[in-house]
Amino acid sequence: MKAKAKNKGLKAKDKAEAIKLRKAPLNTPTDLRAEATRDISGALNALLADVFALYLKTKNFHWHMSGPHFREWHELLDGHSGELLAMTDDIAERVRKIGGTTVRSIGQVSRLQRIKDNDADFVTPEGMLAELRQDNVQLIAEMRATHEVCAEENDVATTSMLENWIDQSEKRAWFLFETLRA
């Protein structure tokens, strides 16, 4: 009987500690101003939502690719989706490093994303590639706008990361463009 009471007491104590920790502020130290953290985090979270949306669209098209260029285009989109997925963790971790909080759910992603979904039952392979090329061009524009916000606040680490992501995205857009040339 004592053992049960003791275990029950520990569980209540653990629960109370968990609740206390859940309510504790994150307070990641940074030398950025609070307003800079807010603005950069907001821009990066919108970008993160766009990258998640483009990742899922790229995978959707990868899964539904068909036709005489199936293998080539299927593999192209698999590589592109891998690049996009890798970016998501880097973006989210950058938000946390500067003291911000990042997206917590698919619902939040859907509210923030600017890249449009495509839920069509069928899209031609050429239509898929053209849409992804345009989405990557849009993503580049969003990254450049985010870069401006970061540069204004002298956040050189984020601007540097953005420059690399812009280059990756330009390469994806270029490959998609060249793949579609007649």
Side-chain angles (χ1 to χ4, degrees):
M1 195 73 162
K2 282 185 177 180
K4 282 185 180 181
K6 186 176 181 180
N7 286 340
K8 196 173 192 177
L10 285 176
K11 288 180 184 177
K13 183 180 174 187
D14 291 343
K15 185 177 179 180
E17 183 64 22
I19 290 170
K20 180 181 168 186
L21 289 173
R22 185 173 59 216
K23 293 181 179 180
L26 296 171
N27 291 338
T28 304
T30 181
D31 65 340
L32 294 171
R33 298 176 308 107
E35 296 81 12
T37 295
R38 181 199 64 219
D39 294 347
I40 295 167
S41 295
L44 286 174
N45 277 318
L47 189 63
L48 178 58
D50 288 337
V51 173
F52 268 125
L54 184 54
Y55 163 75
L56 190 55
K57 183 188 280 189
T58 303
K59 282 307 265 189
N60 170 33
F61 289 168
H62 159 82
W63 295 322
H64 293 98
M65 184 57 65
S66 62
H69 300 285
F70 167 78
R71 183 178 176 87
E72 175 188 353
W73 294 352
H74 180 80
E75 289 177 357
L76 175 71
L77 298 185
D78 195 41
H80 287 187
S81 65
E83 289 176 4
L84 291 161
L85 184 59
M87 285 173 56
T88 62
D89 194 50
D90 290 339
I91 295 168
E93 287 183 356
R94 186 65 198 153
V95 171
R96 291 293 300 121
K97 286 178 199 176
I98 65 169
T101 58
T102 193
V103 297
R104 291 183 166 87
S105 68
I106 295 296
Q108 190 176 10
V109 167
S110 70
R111 289 187 298 276
L112 293 174
Q113 77 183 72
R114 296 158 296 194
I115 301 288
K116 301 292 181 212
D117 294 331
N118 184 327
D119 298 329
D121 288 338
F122 179 79
V123 180
T124 66
E126 293 81 6
M128 292 176 184
L129 299 180
E131 188 171 333
L132 291 174
R133 187 194 67 76
Q134 187 54 46
D135 289 340
N136 275 280
V137 168
Q138 180 183 348
L139 184 64
I140 293 163
E142 302 297 354
M143 286 184 195
R144 290 186 198 285
T146 302
H147 187 281
E148 287 179 24
V149 172
C150 298
E152 287 174 12
E153 298 296 344
N154 200 30
D155 181 359
V156 295
T158 307
T159 57
S160 177
M161 294 172 84
L162 282 159
E163 289 161 4
N164 289 320
W165 298 328
I166 289 167
D167 184 57
Q168 287 177 3
S169 299
E170 287 174 336
K171 184 176 181 182
R172 284 192 304 274
W174 172 44
F175 273 45
L176 292 163
F177 171 77
E178 290 296 341
T179 299
L180 288 168
R181 284 174 65 134

